[in-house]
Amino acid sequence: MFIERTSVRLDVHAKSGAAAAIDGVTGELVQARLTPSPEHIRSRVQALAGPVAVSYEAGPTGFALYRMLTSAGIRCQVAAPSKLQKPAGDRVKTDARDAVHLARLLRLDEVTPVAITSKQCANMRRKKAGKSGAKEAALANSGLT
């Protein structure tokens, strides 16, 4: 059950970001352009009428934003992109439209979250990927593959 006053949807990319916030009491919709800086995003979210819940799509930006928001006491869900309902007939995809749509889905509790790995697990995966990547590169250079 959604208990927060404001639902926020973030669309964060490497160089830009968009946000849409819906105030459940007033019904006001606020949209903003953001920098991808987690600190900037956190300060903008904390400035909204609380309590606040935030959602963004899983992707290459990782889970650092999730960890920072939850450590600041903000409920955050990382949405599984393949499980999101798409508006029928909506062929134009923009960050602003996506942000408003997911903010509404979050408000309705219609977001399927992904499992978030611990920071230690993520570091171990990176180390393992780095070692196997180096091993494959060495094999390729040796002519054995």
Side-chain angles (χ1 to χ4, degrees), residues 13-110:
H13 303 287
K15 295 183 180 181
S16 67
I22 299 174
D23 187 319
V25 174
T26 65
E28 180 183 11
L29 171 67
V30 177
Q31 292 181 284
R33 290 289 247 166
L34 304 171
T35 64
S37 160
E39 293 78 23
H40 178 242
I41 293 169
R42 181 187 43 76
S43 68
R44 293 292 296 262
V45 168
Q46 287 179 324
L48 297 168
V52 177
V54 175
S55 182
Y56 68 94
E57 285 184 45
T61 55
F63 302 127
L65 180 60
Y66 167 86
R67 290 186 182 100
M68 190 194 50
L69 290 172
T70 54
S71 70
I74 299 166
R75 184 168 74 96
C76 184
Q77 288 184 330
V78 181
S82 62
K83 304 276 184 180
L84 291 174
Q85 299 173 10
K86 306 287 188 234
D90 190 7
R91 298 190 189 282
V92 179
K93 182 179 177 347
T94 66
D95 291 348
R97 281 187 185 182
D98 285 352
V100 172
H101 177 65
L102 194 58
R104 289 183 177 133
L105 289 178
L106 178 62
R107 183 125 218 98
L108 297 170
D109 265 342
E110 293 292 324

Coordinates of all heavy atoms in Angstrom, one line a residue, residues 13-110:
H13 N 20.0 9.5 -16.6 CA 21.0 9.0 -17.6 C 22.4 9.5 -17.2 O 22.5 10.2 -16.2 CB 20.6 9.5 -19.0 CG 19.3 9.2 -19.4 ND1 18.9 7.9 -19.8 CD2 18.1 9.9 -19.5 CE1 17.6 7.8 -20.1 NE2 17.1 9.1 -19.9
A14 N 23.4 9.2 -18.0 CA 24.8 9.5 -17.7 C 25.0 11.1 -17.7 O 25.7 11.6 -16.9 CB 25.7 8.9 -18.6
K15 N 24.3 11.8 -18.6 CA 24.5 13.2 -18.7 C 23.3 14.1 -18.4 O 23.4 15.3 -18.4 CB 25.0 13.5 -20.1 CG 26.3 12.9 -20.5 CD 26.8 13.3 -21.8 CE 28.1 12.7 -22.1 NZ 28.6 13.0 -23.4
S16 N 22.1 13.5 -18.2 CA 20.9 14.3 -17.9 C 20.0 13.5 -17.0 O 20.1 12.3 -16.8 CB 20.3 14.7 -19.2 OG 19.7 13.6 -19.8
G17 N 18.9 14.2 -16.6 CA 17.9 13.5 -15.9 C 16.6 14.3 -15.9 O 16.6 15.5 -16.1
A18 N 15.5 13.6 -15.7 CA 14.2 14.2 -15.6 C 13.5 13.7 -14.4 O 13.7 12.5 -14.0 CB 13.4 14.0 -16.9
A19 N 12.6 14.5 -13.8 CA 11.8 14.0 -12.6 C 10.4 14.5 -12.8 O 10.1 15.6 -13.3 CB 12.5 14.5 -11.3
A20 N 9.5 13.7 -12.2 CA 8.1 14.1 -12.1 C 7.6 13.7 -10.7 O 7.9 12.6 -10.3 CB 7.2 13.4 -13.2
A21 N 7.0 14.6 -10.0 CA 6.5 14.4 -8.7 C 5.0 14.7 -8.6 O 4.6 15.7 -9.1 CB 7.3 15.2 -7.7
I22 N 4.3 13.8 -8.0 CA 2.9 13.9 -7.8 C 2.6 14.0 -6.3 O 2.9 13.1 -5.6 CB 2.1 12.8 -8.4 CG1 2.3 12.7 -9.9 CG2 0.6 12.9 -8.1 CD1 1.7 11.5 -10.6
D23 N 2.0 15.2 -5.9 CA 1.6 15.4 -4.5 C 0.2 14.7 -4.4 O -0.7 15.2 -5.0 CB 1.6 16.9 -4.2 CG 1.3 17.1 -2.7 OD1 0.5 16.4 -2.1 OD2 2.0 18.0 -2.2
G24 N 0.1 13.7 -3.5 CA -1.1 13.0 -3.3 C -2.2 13.8 -2.6 O -3.4 13.5 -2.8
V25 N -1.8 14.9 -1.9 CA -2.8 15.7 -1.2 C -3.4 16.7 -2.1 O -4.6 16.9 -2.2 CB -2.2 16.3 0.1 CG1 -3.2 17.3 0.7 CG2 -1.8 15.2 1.0
T26 N -2.5 17.5 -2.8 CA -3.0 18.6 -3.7 C -3.3 18.1 -5.1 O -3.9 18.8 -5.8 CB -2.0 19.7 -3.7 OG1 -0.8 19.3 -4.3 CG2 -1.7 20.2 -2.3
G27 N -2.7 17.0 -5.5 CA -2.8 16.5 -6.9 C -1.8 17.3 -7.8 O -1.9 17.1 -9.0
E28 N -1.0 18.1 -7.3 CA -0.1 18.9 -8.1 C 1.0 18.0 -8.7 O 1.5 17.1 -8.1 CB 0.6 20.0 -7.2 CG 1.6 20.8 -8.0 CD 2.3 21.8 -7.1 OE1 2.2 21.7 -5.8 OE2 3.0 22.7 -7.6
L29 N 1.3 18.3 -10.0 CA 2.3 17.6 -10.7 C 3.5 18.6 -11.0 O 3.3 19.6 -11.5 CB 1.8 17.1 -12.1 CG 2.8 16.5 -13.1 CD1 3.4 15.2 -12.5 CD2 2.2 16.3 -14.4
V30 N 4.7 18.2 -10.5 CA 5.8 19.0 -10.7 C 6.8 18.3 -11.5 O 7.1 17.1 -11.2 CB 6.5 19.4 -9.3 CG1 7.8 20.2 -9.5 CG2 5.5 20.1 -8.4
Q31 N 7.3 18.9 -12.6 CA 8.3 18.3 -13.4 C 9.6 19.1 -13.4 O 9.5 20.4 -13.3 CB 7.8 18.2 -14.9 CG 6.7 17.2 -15.0 CD 6.2 17.1 -16.4 OE1 5.5 18.0 -16.9 NE2 6.6 16.0 -17.1
A32 N 10.8 18.5 -13.5 CA 12.0 19.2 -13.4 C 13.1 18.5 -14.2 O 13.0 17.3 -14.4 CB 12.5 19.4 -12.0
R33 N 14.0 19.2 -14.7 CA 15.2 18.7 -15.3 C 16.3 18.6 -14.2 O 16.4 19.5 -13.4 CB 15.8 19.6 -16.5 CG 14.9 19.6 -17.7 CD 14.9 18.5 -18.4 NE 15.2 18.0 -19.7 CZ 15.2 16.7 -19.9 NH1 15.0 15.9 -18.9 NH2 15.5 16.2 -21.0
L34 N 17.1 17.5 -14.2 CA 18.1 17.4 -13.2 C 19.4 17.1 -13.8 O 19.5 16.6 -14.9 CB 17.7 16.2 -12.3 CG 16.3 16.2 -11.6 CD1 16.0 14.9 -10.9 CD2 16.3 17.3 -10.6
T35 N 20.4 17.3 -13.0 CA 21.8 16.8 -13.4 C 21.8 15.4 -12.8 O 21.1 15.0 -11.9 CB 22.9 17.7 -12.7 OG1 22.8 17.5 -11.3 CG2 22.8 19.1 -13.1
P36 N 22.7 14.6 -13.4 CA 22.8 13.2 -12.9 C 23.5 13.0 -11.6 O 23.6 11.9 -11.1 CB 23.6 12.5 -14.0 CG 24.4 13.5 -14.6 CD 23.6 14.8 -14.5
S37 N 23.9 14.1 -10.9 CA 24.5 14.0 -9.6 C 23.6 13.5 -8.5 O 22.5 14.1 -8.3 CB 25.0 15.4 -9.2 OG 25.3 15.5 -7.9
P38 N 24.0 12.4 -7.9 CA 23.1 11.9 -6.8 C 22.8 12.9 -5.7 O 21.7 12.9 -5.2 CB 23.9 10.7 -6.3 CG 24.8 10.3 -7.4 CD 25.1 11.5 -8.1
E39 N 23.8 13.7 -5.4 CA 23.6 14.7 -4.3 C 22.5 15.7 -4.7 O 21.7 16.2 -3.9 CB 24.9 15.4 -4.0 CG 25.9 14.5 -3.3 CD 26.7 13.6 -4.3 OE1 26.7 13.9 -5.5 OE2 27.1 12.6 -3.8
H40 N 22.6 16.2 -6.0 CA 21.6 17.1 -6.5 C 20.2 16.5 -6.5 O 19.2 17.1 -6.1 CB 22.0 17.5 -8.0 CG 21.0 18.5 -8.6 ND1 20.3 18.1 -9.7 CD2 20.5 19.7 -8.2 CE1 19.5 19.1 -10.1 NE2 19.6 20.1 -9.2
I41 N 20.1 15.2 -6.9 CA 18.8 14.5 -6.9 C 18.3 14.4 -5.5 O 17.1 14.7 -5.3 CB 19.0 13.2 -7.6 CG1 19.3 13.4 -9.1 CG2 17.7 12.3 -7.4 CD1 19.7 12.1 -9.8
R42 N 19.1 14.0 -4.6 CA 18.7 13.8 -3.2 C 18.2 15.2 -2.6 O 17.1 15.2 -2.0 CB 19.8 13.3 -2.3 CG 19.4 13.1 -0.9 CD 20.6 12.8 0.1 NE 21.8 13.5 -0.1 CZ 22.0 14.8 0.3 NH1 21.1 15.4 0.9 NH2 23.1 15.4 0.0
S43 N 18.9 16.2 -2.9 CA 18.5 17.5 -2.3 C 17.1 18.0 -2.9 O 16.3 18.5 -2.2 CB 19.5 18.6 -2.5 OG 19.7 18.9 -3.9
R44 N 16.9 17.7 -4.2 CA 15.6 18.1 -4.8 C 14.5 17.2 -4.3 O 13.4 17.7 -4.1 CB 15.7 17.9 -6.4 CG 16.6 18.8 -7.1 CD 16.2 20.3 -7.1 NE 14.9 20.5 -7.8 CZ 14.8 21.0 -9.0 NH1 15.9 21.3 -9.7 NH2 13.6 21.2 -9.5
V45 N 14.7 15.9 -4.1 CA 13.7 15.0 -3.5 C 13.4 15.4 -2.1 O 12.2 15.5 -1.7 CB 14.2 13.6 -3.6 CG1 13.3 12.6 -2.8 CG2 14.2 13.1 -5.1
Q46 N 14.4 15.7 -1.3 CA 14.1 16.1 0.1 C 13.4 17.4 0.2 O 12.8 17.7 1.3 CB 15.5 16.1 0.9 CG 16.0 14.8 1.1 CD 17.3 14.8 1.9 OE1 18.2 15.7 1.7 NE2 17.5 13.8 2.8
A47 N 13.4 18.3 -0.8 CA 12.7 19.5 -0.8 C 11.2 19.4 -1.0 O 10.5 20.3 -0.8 CB 13.3 20.5 -1.8
L48 N 10.8 18.2 -1.4 CA 9.4 18.0 -1.7 C 8.6 17.7 -0.4 O 9.2 17.3 0.6 CB 9.2 16.8 -2.7 CG 9.8 17.0 -4.1 CD1 9.9 15.6 -4.8 CD2 9.0 18.0 -4.8
A49 N 7.3 17.9 -0.5 CA 6.4 17.6 0.7 C 6.5 16.1 1.0 O 6.3 15.2 0.1 CB 5.0 18.0 0.4
G50 N 6.8 15.8 2.2 CA 7.1 14.4 2.6 C 6.0 13.8 3.4 O 5.0 14.5 3.7
P51 N 6.0 12.5 3.6 CA 7.1 11.6 3.1 C 7.0 11.3 1.6 O 6.0 11.5 1.0 CB 6.8 10.3 3.9 CG 5.4 10.4 4.3 CD 5.0 11.8 4.4
V52 N 8.2 10.9 1.1 CA 8.4 10.8 -0.4 C 8.8 9.4 -0.7 O 9.5 8.8 0.0 CB 9.5 11.8 -0.9 CG1 9.7 11.6 -2.3 CG2 9.1 13.2 -0.5
A53 N 8.3 8.9 -1.8 CA 8.7 7.6 -2.4 C 9.3 7.9 -3.8 O 8.7 8.7 -4.5 CB 7.6 6.6 -2.5
V54 N 10.4 7.2 -4.2 CA 11.0 7.5 -5.4 C 11.2 6.2 -6.2 O 11.4 5.1 -5.6 CB 12.4 8.1 -5.2 CG1 13.2 8.2 -6.5 CG2 12.4 9.4 -4.5
S55 N 11.1 6.3 -7.5 CA 11.3 5.1 -8.4 C 12.1 5.5 -9.6 O 11.9 6.6 -10.1 CB 10.0 4.5 -8.8 OG 10.2 3.3 -9.6
Y56 N 12.9 4.6 -10.1 CA 13.6 4.9 -11.4 C 13.8 3.5 -12.0 O 13.8 2.5 -11.3 CB 14.9 5.7 -11.2 CG 16.0 5.0 -10.5 CD1 17.0 4.3 -11.2 CD2 16.1 5.1 -9.1 CE1 18.1 3.8 -10.5 CE2 17.2 4.6 -8.4 CZ 18.2 3.9 -9.1 OH 19.2 3.3 -8.5
E57 N 14.0 3.5 -13.3 CA 14.2 2.2 -14.0 C 15.6 1.7 -13.8 O 16.6 2.5 -13.8 CB 13.9 2.4 -15.5 CG 12.5 2.5 -15.8 CD 12.2 2.6 -17.3 OE1 12.8 1.8 -18.1 OE2 11.4 3.4 -17.7
A58 N 15.7 0.4 -13.7 CA 17.0 -0.3 -13.6 C 17.7 0.0 -14.9 O 17.1 -0.1 -16.0 CB 16.9 -1.8 -13.3
G59 N 19.0 0.2 -14.9 CA 19.8 0.4 -16.1 C 21.3 0.6 -15.8 O 21.7 0.2 -14.7
P60 N 22.0 1.1 -16.7 CA 23.4 1.3 -16.5 C 23.9 2.2 -15.4 O 25.0 2.2 -15.0 CB 23.9 1.7 -17.9 CG 22.7 2.4 -18.5 CD 21.5 1.7 -18.0
T61 N 22.9 3.0 -14.9 CA 23.3 4.0 -13.8 C 23.6 3.2 -12.5 O 24.1 3.8 -11.6 CB 22.2 5.1 -13.6 OG1 21.0 4.4 -13.4 CG2 22.2 6.0 -14.8
G62 N 23.1 2.0 -12.4 CA 23.4 1.2 -11.2 C 22.5 1.5 -10.0 O 21.5 2.1 -10.2
F63 N 23.0 1.1 -8.9 CA 22.2 1.2 -7.7 C 22.8 2.2 -6.6 O 22.3 2.3 -5.5 CB 22.1 -0.2 -7.0 CG 21.4 -1.2 -7.9 CD1 22.1 -2.4 -8.1 CD2 20.2 -0.9 -8.5 CE1 21.5 -3.3 -8.9 CE2 19.7 -1.9 -9.3 CZ 20.3 -3.1 -9.6
A64 N 23.7 3.0 -7.0 CA 24.3 4.0 -6.1 C 23.3 5.0 -5.7 O 23.2 5.4 -4.5 CB 25.5 4.7 -6.7
L65 N 22.4 5.4 -6.6 CA 21.4 6.4 -6.3 C 20.4 5.8 -5.3 O 20.0 6.4 -4.3 CB 20.7 6.8 -7.5 CG 19.5 7.8 -7.4 CD1 20.0 9.1 -6.7 CD2 18.9 8.1 -8.7
Y66 N 20.0 4.5 -5.5 CA 19.1 3.8 -4.6 C 19.7 3.8 -3.2 O 19.0 4.1 -2.2 CB 18.9 2.4 -5.1 CG 18.3 1.5 -4.1 CD1 16.9 1.4 -4.0 CD2 19.0 0.7 -3.2 CE1 16.3 0.6 -3.0 CE2 18.4 -0.1 -2.3 CZ 17.1 -0.2 -2.2 OH 16.5 -1.0 -1.2
R67 N 21.0 3.4 -3.1 CA 21.6 3.3 -1.8 C 21.7 4.6 -1.1 O 21.5 4.7 0.1 CB 23.0 2.7 -1.9 CG 23.0 1.2 -2.3 CD 24.4 0.6 -2.3 NE 24.3 -0.8 -2.8 CZ 24.5 -1.2 -4.0 NH1 24.9 -0.4 -4.9 NH2 24.4 -2.5 -4.3
M68 N 22.0 5.7 -1.8 CA 22.1 7.0 -1.2 C 20.7 7.5 -0.7 O 20.6 8.0 0.4 CB 22.6 8.0 -2.2 CG 22.9 9.3 -1.5 SD 23.2 10.7 -2.5 CE 21.9 10.6 -3.6
L69 N 19.6 7.3 -1.5 CA 18.3 7.7 -1.2 C 17.8 7.0 0.1 O 17.2 7.5 1.0 CB 17.3 7.6 -2.3 CG 17.6 8.6 -3.5 CD1 16.7 8.2 -4.7 CD2 17.3 10.0 -3.0
T70 N 18.0 5.6 0.1 CA 17.5 4.9 1.2 C 18.3 5.2 2.5 O 17.7 5.2 3.6 CB 17.6 3.3 0.9 OG1 18.9 3.0 0.5 CG2 16.6 2.9 -0.1
S71 N 19.6 5.5 2.3 CA 20.4 5.9 3.5 C 19.9 7.2 4.1 O 20.1 7.5 5.2 CB 21.9 5.9 3.2 OG 22.2 6.9 2.4
A72 N 19.3 8.1 3.2 CA 18.7 9.4 3.6 C 17.3 9.2 4.2 O 16.7 10.2 4.5 CB 18.8 10.3 2.5
G73 N 16.8 8.0 4.2 CA 15.5 7.7 4.8 C 14.3 7.9 3.8 O 13.2 8.0 4.2
I74 N 14.7 7.9 2.5 CA 13.7 8.0 1.4 C 13.4 6.6 0.9 O 14.3 5.9 0.5 CB 14.2 8.9 0.3 CG1 14.4 10.3 0.9 CG2 13.2 9.0 -0.8 CD1 15.2 11.2 0.0
R75 N 12.1 6.2 0.8 CA 11.8 4.9 0.2 C 12.1 5.0 -1.3 O 11.6 5.9 -2.0 CB 10.3 4.6 0.4 CG 10.0 3.2 -0.1 CD 8.7 2.7 0.4 NE 7.5 3.3 -0.3 CZ 6.9 2.8 -1.3 NH1 7.3 1.6 -1.9 NH2 5.9 3.4 -1.9
C76 N 12.8 4.0 -1.8 CA 13.2 4.0 -3.2 C 12.9 2.6 -3.8 O 13.2 1.6 -3.1 CB 14.6 4.4 -3.4 SG 15.1 4.5 -5.1
Q77 N 12.4 2.6 -5.0 CA 12.2 1.3 -5.7 C 12.9 1.4 -7.1 O 12.7 2.5 -7.7 CB 10.8 1.0 -6.0 CG 10.0 0.6 -4.7 CD 8.6 0.2 -5.1 OE1 8.0 0.7 -6.1 NE2 8.0 -0.7 -4.3
V78 N 13.7 0.4 -7.4 CA 14.3 0.4 -8.8 C 13.4 -0.5 -9.6 O 13.2 -1.7 -9.3 CB 15.7 -0.1 -8.7 CG1 16.3 -0.2 -10.1 CG2 16.6 0.7 -7.8
A79 N 12.7 0.0 -10.6 CA 11.7 -0.7 -11.4 C 12.3 -1.6 -12.4 O 13.3 -1.2 -13.1 CB 10.8 0.3 -12.0
A80 N 11.7 -2.7 -12.6 CA 12.1 -3.6 -13.7 C 11.5 -3.1 -15.0 O 10.3 -3.1 -15.1 CB 11.6 -5.0 -13.4
P81 N 12.3 -2.6 -15.9 CA 11.8 -2.0 -17.2 C 10.9 -2.9 -18.0 O 9.9 -2.5 -18.5 CB 13.0 -1.6 -18.0 CG 14.1 -1.6 -17.0 CD 13.8 -2.5 -15.9
S82 N 11.2 -4.2 -18.0 CA 10.4 -5.1 -18.8 C 9.0 -5.4 -18.1 O 8.1 -5.9 -18.8 CB 11.1 -6.4 -18.9 OG 11.3 -7.0 -17.7
K83 N 8.8 -5.0 -16.9 CA 7.6 -5.3 -16.2 C 6.6 -4.1 -16.1 O 5.6 -4.1 -15.5 CB 7.8 -5.8 -14.8 CG 8.7 -7.0 -14.7 CD 8.0 -8.2 -14.8 CE 8.9 -9.4 -14.6 NZ 8.2 -10.6 -14.8
L84 N 7.1 -2.9 -16.6 CA 6.3 -1.7 -16.6 C 5.2 -1.7 -17.6 O 5.4 -2.1 -18.7 CB 7.2 -0.5 -16.8 CG 8.2 -0.1 -15.7 CD1 9.1 1.0 -16.1 CD2 7.5 0.2 -14.4
Q85 N 4.0 -1.2 -17.1 CA 2.9 -1.1 -18.1 C 3.2 0.1 -19.0 O 3.6 1.2 -18.5 CB 1.6 -0.9 -17.3 CG 1.2 -2.0 -16.4 CD 0.0 -1.6 -15.5 OE1 -0.6 -0.6 -15.7 NE2 -0.2 -2.4 -14.5
K86 N 2.9 -0.1 -20.3 CA 3.1 1.0 -21.2 C 1.8 1.5 -21.6 O 0.8 0.8 -21.8 CB 3.8 0.5 -22.5 CG 5.1 -0.3 -22.2 CD 6.2 0.7 -21.9 CE 7.5 0.0 -21.8 NZ 8.3 0.1 -20.6
P87 N 1.6 2.9 -21.7 CA 0.4 3.4 -22.2 C 0.0 3.0 -23.6 O 0.9 3.0 -24.5 CB 0.6 5.0 -22.1 CG 1.9 5.2 -21.4 CD 2.6 3.9 -21.5
A88 N -1.2 2.6 -23.8 CA -1.7 2.1 -25.1 C -1.6 3.3 -26.1 O -2.1 4.4 -25.9 CB -3.1 1.6 -25.0
G89 N -1.1 3.0 -27.3 CA -1.0 4.0 -28.4 C 0.0 5.1 -28.2 O 0.1 6.0 -29.0
D90 N 0.8 5.0 -27.1 CA 1.8 6.1 -26.9 C 3.1 5.7 -27.7 O 3.9 4.9 -27.2 CB 2.1 6.2 -25.4 CG 2.9 7.4 -25.1 OD1 3.1 8.2 -26.0 OD2 3.3 7.6 -23.9
R91 N 3.3 6.3 -28.8 CA 4.4 5.9 -29.6 C 5.6 6.9 -29.5 O 6.7 6.6 -29.9 CB 4.0 5.9 -31.1 CG 3.0 4.8 -31.4 CD 2.8 4.6 -32.9 NE 1.7 3.8 -33.2 CZ 1.7 2.4 -33.2 NH1 2.8 1.8 -32.7 NH2 0.7 1.8 -33.5
V92 N 5.3 8.0 -28.9 CA 6.4 9.0 -28.7 C 7.0 8.8 -27.3 O 6.3 8.9 -26.3 CB 5.8 10.5 -28.8 CG1 6.9 11.5 -28.5 CG2 5.2 10.7 -30.1
K93 N 8.3 8.5 -27.2 CA 8.9 8.3 -25.9 C 9.8 9.5 -25.6 O 10.7 9.8 -26.3 CB 9.8 7.0 -26.0 CG 10.5 6.7 -24.7 CD 11.3 5.4 -24.9 CE 12.0 4.9 -23.7 NZ 12.2 5.8 -22.6
T94 N 9.5 10.1 -24.5 CA 10.3 11.2 -24.0 C 10.6 11.0 -22.5 O 9.8 10.3 -21.8 CB 9.7 12.6 -24.2 OG1 8.5 12.7 -23.4 CG2 9.3 12.9 -25.6
D95 N 11.7 11.6 -22.0 CA 12.0 11.4 -20.6 C 10.8 12.0 -19.7 O 10.5 11.4 -18.7 CB 13.3 12.1 -20.2 CG 14.5 11.4 -20.8 OD1 14.3 10.3 -21.3 OD2 15.6 12.0 -20.8
A96 N 10.3 13.2 -20.1 CA 9.3 13.8 -19.3 C 8.0 12.9 -19.3 O 7.4 12.8 -18.2 CB 8.9 15.2 -19.9
R97 N 7.6 12.4 -20.4 CA 6.4 11.5 -20.4 C 6.6 10.3 -19.6 O 5.7 9.8 -18.8 CB 6.0 11.1 -21.8 CG 5.3 12.2 -22.6 CD 4.8 11.6 -23.9 NE 4.2 12.6 -24.7 CZ 3.7 12.4 -25.9 NH1 3.7 11.2 -26.4 NH2 3.2 13.4 -26.6
D98 N 7.8 9.7 -19.7 CA 8.1 8.5 -19.0 C 8.1 8.8 -17.5 O 7.6 8.0 -16.7 CB 9.5 8.0 -19.3 CG 9.6 7.3 -20.7 OD1 8.5 7.0 -21.2 OD2 10.7 7.0 -21.1
A99 N 8.6 9.9 -17.1 CA 8.6 10.3 -15.7 C 7.2 10.5 -15.1 O 6.9 9.9 -14.0 CB 9.4 11.6 -15.5
V100 N 6.3 11.1 -15.8 CA 5.0 11.3 -15.3 C 4.3 9.9 -15.2 O 3.6 9.6 -14.3 CB 4.2 12.2 -16.3 CG1 2.7 12.3 -15.9 CG2 4.8 13.6 -16.2
H101 N 4.4 9.1 -16.3 CA 3.8 7.8 -16.3 C 4.2 6.9 -15.1 O 3.4 6.3 -14.4 CB 4.1 7.1 -17.6 CG 3.5 5.7 -17.7 ND1 2.2 5.5 -17.7 CD2 4.1 4.5 -17.8 CE1 1.9 4.2 -17.8 NE2 3.1 3.6 -17.8
L102 N 5.5 6.9 -14.9 CA 6.0 6.0 -13.8 C 5.7 6.6 -12.4 O 5.4 5.8 -11.5 CB 7.5 5.8 -13.9 CG 8.0 4.6 -13.0 CD1 7.3 3.3 -13.3 CD2 9.5 4.5 -13.1
A103 N 5.6 7.9 -12.3 CA 5.2 8.5 -11.0 C 3.7 8.1 -10.7 O 3.4 7.8 -9.6 CB 5.2 10.0 -11.1
R104 N 2.9 8.0 -11.7 CA 1.5 7.5 -11.5 C 1.5 6.1 -11.2 O 0.7 5.6 -10.3 CB 0.7 7.8 -12.8 CG 0.4 9.3 -12.9 CD -0.5 9.6 -14.1 NE -0.8 11.0 -14.2 CZ -0.7 11.7 -15.3 NH1 -0.4 11.2 -16.4 NH2 -1.0 13.0 -15.2
L105 N 2.3 5.3 -11.8 CA 2.4 3.8 -11.5 C 2.8 3.6 -10.1 O 2.3 2.8 -9.4 CB 3.3 3.1 -12.5 CG 2.8 2.9 -13.9 CD1 3.9 2.2 -14.8 CD2 1.5 2.2 -14.0
L106 N 3.8 4.4 -9.7 CA 4.3 4.3 -8.3 C 3.2 4.6 -7.3 O 3.0 3.9 -6.3 CB 5.5 5.2 -8.1 CG 6.1 5.2 -6.7 CD1 6.7 3.9 -6.3 CD2 7.2 6.3 -6.7
R107 N 2.5 5.7 -7.6 CA 1.4 6.1 -6.7 C 0.3 5.0 -6.6 O -0.3 4.8 -5.6 CB 0.7 7.3 -7.3 CG -0.4 7.9 -6.5 CD -0.1 9.4 -6.2 NE -0.5 9.7 -4.9 CZ 0.3 9.7 -3.8 NH1 1.5 9.5 -3.9 NH2 -0.2 10.0 -2.6
L108 N 0.1 4.2 -7.7 CA -0.9 3.1 -7.7 C -0.3 1.8 -7.2 O -1.0 0.8 -7.2 CB -1.4 2.9 -9.1 CG -2.2 4.1 -9.7 CD1 -2.5 3.9 -11.2 CD2 -3.5 4.3 -8.9
D109 N 1.0 1.8 -6.8 CA 1.7 0.6 -6.4 C 1.7 -0.5 -7.5 O 1.6 -1.7 -7.3 CB 1.0 -0.1 -5.1 CG 1.7 0.3 -3.8 OD1 2.9 0.8 -3.9 OD2 1.1 0.2 -2.8
E110 N 2.0 0.0 -8.7 CA 2.0 -0.9 -9.9 C 3.5 -1.0 -10.4 O 3.7 -1.2 -11.6 CB 1.1 -0.3 -11.0 CG -0.4 -0.4 -10.6 CD -0.9 -1.8 -10.6 OE1 -0.4 -2.7 -11.3 OE2 -1.7 -2.1 -9.7

